[in-house]
Amino acid sequence: MKLLLKDGNVINPLNKTINIQDILIVDGKVAAIGRELAASLDLDLSRSTSGTGFQPVVFNDEETIKDACPTISVINAKGKYVVPGLIDMHVHLREPGFEEKETIATGTQAAARGGFTGIVCMPNTEPPADNQAVISFIQQVAQKTGVVNVFPVGTITQGRAGKELSEMASLAAQGVVAFSDDGAPVVNAKLMRHAMEYAKMLDLPVISHCEEPALAAQGMMHEGFTSTMLGLKGIPAAAEEVMVARDIILANLTGCHLHIAHVSTAGSVELVRAAKEKGIKVTCEVTPHHFTLTDEAVSSYDPQTKVNPPLRSKADVVALQAGLKDGTIDVIATDHAPHTQEEKELEFELAPFGMVGLETAVGLVWTKLVIPGILTSCEAVAKMTVNPARILNLKKGLIEIGAEADITVIDPELTCVVKPEEFASKGRNTPFSGWSLKGLPVATIVGGEVKWIK
Amino acid sequence: MALKNESMSLKKKHLLDMQSIAPEEIKLILDTASSMKEILFRSIKKVPTLRGRTIANVFYEPSTRTRVSFELAAKYLSADCINVSAAASSIVKGESLVDTARTLRAMGADVIVLRHPYSGAPYHLAKLVSACVINAGDGTHEHPTQALLDLFTVQEAKGELAALKIAIVGDILHSRVARSNILGFTKMGATVRICGPTTMIPVAIERTGAHLYTQVEEALDGVDVVMMLRLQLERQQQGLFPSVREYTRLYGLDQQRLALAKPDALVMHPGPLNRGVEITSAVADSAQSVINTQVTNGVAVRMALLYLLAGRFTGGQE
């Protein structure tokens, strides 16, 4: 099986280079990278096929590609970015336990449509992914029904209850890429210390959902003028920052790699920046909704804007964008959190937290960061490829000869209106419905196979 | 019945908040309320204005005062009035406001008066029904009809609202009455001072234009109106104030403190009162107190609103 990506602007996020190149994929691996590969293939093909020679074809749909295989498929990537397969290191796939919200099948389809070739799934399933059996189940279902790579995260504590450690070594043996009680913070600092010590021994990162629950106090949205006027309980920025500070101190104590999930405040960015300067092993991520929207989006009491951590102030959004620019924020991850329509139809205070993100992420990154010049396309791509891959010790994130051919094609000129009803995800809960986004994925290739093409 | 301003009408279909209401609309409501108040002092307190209209009082929170006020307002205008009270427990997941809204829409209520423990619930309802929605208090957001009756009461006593100084004292953080009154009085040109312990002052409230005080003596100095808020005693367990004793000592309104305000200052309270906590009986029952007038005016203002909304819009069946 051969696939040729022709004339694309190939981004190497590590060297920060963009070159017009062809990429030849053979048997799922990158076989050649260079100019005019098509020409050299010509001879090759005339020998292996019936002598008709090489005919470049633009394939528009999966059917055509399937028809054309196993000879060769060609994707004309002229004017488009060809980038390492995007990795979303913060996804809620909901299976097992909440299949009405999402399944591994639908979640990975949404990932493919969003340009992601790999996703990291959080362990707040039912039962939670706190033992080998659940991880094994996720891996098997992903193998059978998934269309992109799925990397599971194991819990830090049993049942995500924050009381006793999970069997972290067994989880590691089963192949988890990190530990997290995401959605629930580990409130007990001593337990968090031990979790970090243990994770360090296993050479895996701990992903911390930083939220001091007593300060968050059942808040619904960012504490500020908007929450005051709406009469909704606020979650102060301090609720996040107190725990970011604590966990950085514990990372310093233990030497564990701490990754802070979904930073949302200026203060968190500042804490991480200072910690990095001191050489503490800390990384962090931001979501597209946090660098795009402010708490004013909540003004209509639209439950689609209810998310945790909450949409913050304008000053926080500016600080997050600055943190992306100067490298304090390593990763862009979606915190894709699908919920049913019924749940999101409830009153604001009753509706669950969370929004889907897989199918709007690239569009928001391009529209809000790349086009306005906050990040270069190379920088943006690095935060969705090589950076998360390095944090999670994945042999992914670069297009190299011999590497698994996980590749995403992005059309920087393509503009589309967000239509949740067309999402592959079961979750339609997005505040971006009707937004016009520019710069979108057009093809997702996983292990050399075209899993989605526009 | 001769009503003034019959040619004018509200631009809005719903009354959800004071935030989005224009000063001219407030003026119209207050003027209409004056006419309505005359009806309350007739020997036969009933006019046929809203005959054939249906008002549904949907109360998800226990409230006697506001519900009865709306009920009387509806009955004095000859509307049919039904009361739907749901226990707070029934609004947990499963029995949603959406379903209640659809039921009421199918039944053809013209006006829905909603009291709900969750901020924003009336907006949710307004999107789902064809009836006019009146917010009768939502969570810690707003209580616009209370603000309107307070504005009416002050205007009635003082003539003009502009240039008055109003002090609102107590738990501002949890008070929907405070939010609506800050917005309402400020819109009408009055100066609003808010006063309470810092733990009960919501973040950035001064951006409304209200002036912030933590010393009640300073807040009351020279004001035209003193509005005391009810202290929810359970806030003590939440660490918002150390004890009722200390709260009363710092913020309770007694004769001595009242003397700091203008000699003819009005004393107001949205009720129900914690006598001896935020206000002494001597002050609550003094000549300066308009607490009972507030109740009477509540009916007049709600009649005005029902007239202005139900008189123009009809819900109708689906």
Side-chain angles (χ1 to χ4, degrees):
Chain A
M1 256 184 26
K2 293 179 183 177
L3 176 65
L4 182 70
L5 289 165
K6 217 172 143 322
D7 297 330
N9 300 309
V10 179
I11 290 185
N12 181 323
L14 198 58
N15 304 337
K16 298 190 167 55
T17 55
I18 306 177
N19 294 306
I20 297 177
Q21 286 174 320
D22 299 336
I23 294 171
L24 178 65
I25 298 160
V26 178
D27 296 334
K29 296 214 161 30
V30 177
I33 307 171
R35 291 290 293 141
E36 304 297 327
L37 284 185
S40 61
L41 262 175
D42 205 351
L43 288 171
D44 219 46
L45 279 173
S46 55
R47 235 180 286 132
S48 60
T49 59
S50 54
T52 52
F54 175 66
Q55 294 289 313
V57 192
V58 181
F59 293 92
N60 292 315
D61 59 78
E62 248 175 292
E63 287 309 306
T64 330
I65 292 166
K66 277 179 193 155
D67 288 348
C69 284
T71 55
I72 187 158
S73 309
V74 178
I75 294 175
N76 183 353
K78 194 167 176 151
K80 301 179 174 77
Y81 288 115
V82 173
V83 309
L86 304 180
I87 298 165
D88 185 351
M89 70 177 289
H90 198 136
V91 173
H92 297 274
L93 283 178
R94 306 295 191 207
E95 187 177 359
F98 306 102
E99 291 82 356
E100 73 282 9
K101 297 178 195 255
E102 191 83 286
T103 63
I104 291 170
T106 58
T108 55
Q109 282 158 19
R113 285 185 63 122
F116 294 97
T117 60
I119 54 178
V120 173
C121 61
M122 286 296 167
N124 58 337
T125 48
E126 186 52 48
D130 64 355
N131 63 74
Q132 282 174 289
V134 176
I135 299 295
S136 169
F137 170 83
I138 292 166
Q139 289 164 333
Q140 284 173 41
V141 176
Q143 188 71 36
K144 212 158 47 177
T145 70
V147 295
V148 305
N149 297 308
V150 173
F151 305 105
V153 171
T155 65
I156 296 171
T157 67
Q158 293 175 33
R160 296 169 61 248
K163 301 267 189 262
E164 295 163 277
L165 292 183
S166 305
E167 291 180 345
M168 293 165 78
S170 305
L171 289 166
Q174 189 64 43
V176 301
V177 295
F179 299 104
S180 181
D181 276 2
D182 186 58
V186 179
V187 179
N188 182 328
K190 180 171 170 287
L191 191 65
M192 189 59 161
R193 175 200 178 158
H194 293 323
M196 286 193 184
E197 287 169 338
Y198 212 85
K200 181 179 188 325
M201 177 176 83
L202 301 167
D203 202 22
L204 286 176
V206 166
I207 301 175
S208 180
H209 169 114
C210 290
E211 178 187 358
E212 169 53 46
L215 274 174
Q218 284 99 48
M220 301 280 151
M221 66 173 295
H222 174 62
E223 181 182 282
F225 181 63
T226 308
S227 69
T228 288
M229 295 318 291
L230 294 177
L232 290 172
K233 254 191 192 173
I235 302 173
E240 175 172 314
E241 291 156 6
V242 161
M243 201 169 274
V244 169
R246 183 200 76 172
D247 286 352
I248 285 171
I249 291 165
L250 293 176
N252 190 36
L253 174 70
T254 59
C256 175
H257 177 178
L258 168 69
H259 178 81
I260 297 166
H262 44 54
V263 294
S264 70
T265 77
S268 294
V269 175
E270 199 47 55
L271 287 163
V272 172
R273 187 177 288 129
K276 283 185 165 185
E277 277 166 17
K278 281 187 205 146
I280 298 168
K281 213 173 168 192
V282 56
T283 53
C284 69
E285 73 195 25
V286 67
T287 70
H289 50 269
H290 285 116
F291 68 62
T292 301
L293 296 171
T294 68
D295 58 342
E296 283 178 30
V298 184
S299 293
S300 58
Y301 293 99
D302 182 356
Q304 305 296 9
T305 62
K306 185 175 174 183
V307 66
N308 190 22
L311 302 172
R312 299 287 188 183
S313 70
K314 183 78 195 138
D316 292 308
V317 171
V318 169
L320 292 171
Q321 293 179 351
L324 280 164
K325 180 78 202 160
D326 72 12
T328 303
I329 300 173
D330 310 85
V331 170
I332 296 166
T334 66
D335 195 3
H336 177 83
H339 291 293
T340 63
Q341 192 191 334
E342 290 82 356
E343 290 170 304
K344 280 289 191 181
E345 258 181 9
L346 294 169
E347 297 88 318
F348 191 91
E349 299 203 22
L350 290 177
F353 289 102
M355 45 183 76
V356 292
L358 285 167
E359 292 167 83
T360 48
V362 171
L364 287 166
V365 167
W366 241 261
T367 307
K368 291 291 168 183
L369 299 177
V370 177
I371 293 170
I374 293 162
L375 293 182
T376 64
S377 47
C378 285
E379 288 167 340
V381 167
K383 290 179 198 297
M384 295 191 284
T385 54
V386 66
N387 292 1
R390 284 183 162 185
I391 289 165
L392 301 165
N393 309 307
L394 301 173
K395 289 193 191 72
K396 297 276 179 191
L398 287 171
I399 302 173
E400 293 173 310
I401 291 175
E404 290 272 318
D406 291 353
I407 293 172
T408 302
V409 183
I410 295 169
D411 183 348
E413 299 302 322
L414 182 63
T415 303
C416 271
V417 172
V418 177
K419 292 183 184 138
E421 63 277 12
E422 292 175 4
F423 284 172
S425 170
K426 282 193 182 182
R428 305 290 153 87
N429 47 309
T430 174
F432 299 112
S433 179
W435 282 43
S436 180
L437 300 178
K438 187 177 180 188
L440 298 162
V442 289
T444 306
I445 298 157
V446 182
E449 280 183 47
V450 180
K451 295 297 187 181
W452 176 75
I453 190 160
K454 195 166 179 75
Chain B
M1 183 185 62
L3 283 170
K4 280 180 267 175
N5 297 309
E6 269 183 342
S7 57
M8 288 178 69
S9 61
L10 280 179
K11 279 176 236 134
K12 319 177 80 61
K13 178 173 179 187
H14 309 290
L15 180 77
L16 302 177
D17 53 49
M18 295 300 289
Q19 173 127 35
S20 60
I21 195 165
E24 313 81 74
E25 291 179 293
I26 295 176
K27 216 175 158 307
L28 170 65
I29 294 165
L30 301 188
D31 288 350
T32 311
S34 293
S35 312
M36 293 297 175
K37 194 169 177 182
E38 290 166 24
I39 298 167
L40 297 180
F41 291 95
R42 292 181 188 173
S43 55
I44 297 169
K45 296 193 274 288
K46 206 167 182 86
V47 291
T49 316
L50 294 185
R51 199 163 56 192
R53 297 296 166 94
T54 307
I55 317 289
N57 280 326
V58 183
F59 277 63
Y60 282 95
E61 258 183 2
S63 155
T64 309
R65 189 178 298 248
T66 307
R67 188 184 55 74
V68 169
S69 182
F70 269 107
E71 195 174 343
L72 281 175
K75 287 181 172 163
Y76 292 159
L77 293 171
S78 303
D80 294 309
C81 182
I82 52 161
N83 290 308
V84 183
S85 51
S89 58
S90 74
I91 42 166
V92 292
K93 209 170 147 188
E95 163 59 32
S96 69
L97 188 59
V98 177
D99 292 318
T100 308
R102 286 176 185 148
T103 307
L104 291 167
R105 185 169 64 180
M107 288 176 177
D110 297 298
V111 178
I112 300 171
V113 176
L114 181 71
R115 160 70 61 94
H116 203 281
Y118 295 137
S119 301
Y123 296 81
H124 202 62
L125 184 70
K127 271 186 254 168
L128 297 162
V129 295
S130 46
C132 308
V133 175
I134 297 178
N135 179 1
D138 62 327
T140 51
H141 174 229
E142 282 218 40
H143 194 349
T145 63
Q146 178 73 42
L148 289 165
L149 76 88
D150 289 341
L151 288 168
F152 182 74
T153 304
V154 174
Q155 183 177 273
E156 201 179 40
K158 299 287 178 189
E160 268 295 313
L161 291 169
L164 293 180
K165 291 196 190 89
I166 321 291
I168 304 176
V169 182
D171 180 0
I172 312 290
L173 180 62
H174 298 96
S175 177
R176 52 194 176 207
V177 175
R179 278 171 182 72
S180 288
N181 268 315
I182 290 168
L183 293 164
F185 278 101
T186 307
K187 271 178 205 230
M188 300 313 282
T191 303
V192 178
R193 299 175 178 184
I194 53 174
C195 179
T198 310
T199 47
M200 293 182 173
I201 303 290
V203 176
I205 188 74
E206 61 281 5
R207 277 176 60 187
T208 56
H211 302 266
L212 191 54
Y213 294 79
T214 53
Q215 301 289 322
V216 75
E217 290 79 6
E218 291 172 20
L220 298 185
D221 184 36
V223 296
D224 302 279
V225 176
V226 183
M227 186 182 294
M228 302 305 293
L229 300 174
R230 179 180 169 81
L231 182 73
Q232 302 282 340
L233 300 178
E234 68 267 22
R235 306 293 178 207
Q236 194 247 334
Q237 281 101 56
Q238 296 164 9
L240 294 172
F241 65 94
S243 68
V244 171
R245 178 171 162 268
E246 180 157 305
Y247 181 88
T248 303
R249 206 167 59 189
L250 290 178
Y251 298 101
L253 184 67
D254 56 17
Q255 297 281 19
Q256 216 178 337
R257 281 187 176 142
L258 180 58
L260 298 167
K262 284 195 182 151
D264 60 348
L266 304 178
V267 173
M268 304 177 78
H269 192 299
L273 283 74
N274 284 315
R275 287 174 182 264
V277 179
E278 69 266 5
I279 190 165
T280 62
S281 279
V283 171
D285 304 331
S286 71
Q288 282 172 262
S289 167
V290 289
I291 294 170
N292 290 329
T293 314
Q294 286 175 276
V295 177
T296 310
N297 288 345
V299 179
V301 163
R302 286 164 182 133
M303 286 169 77
L305 284 166
L306 292 176
Y307 167 72
L308 290 168
L309 293 172
R312 205 155 56 84
F313 295 99
T314 54
Q317 267 153 303
E318 223 179 340

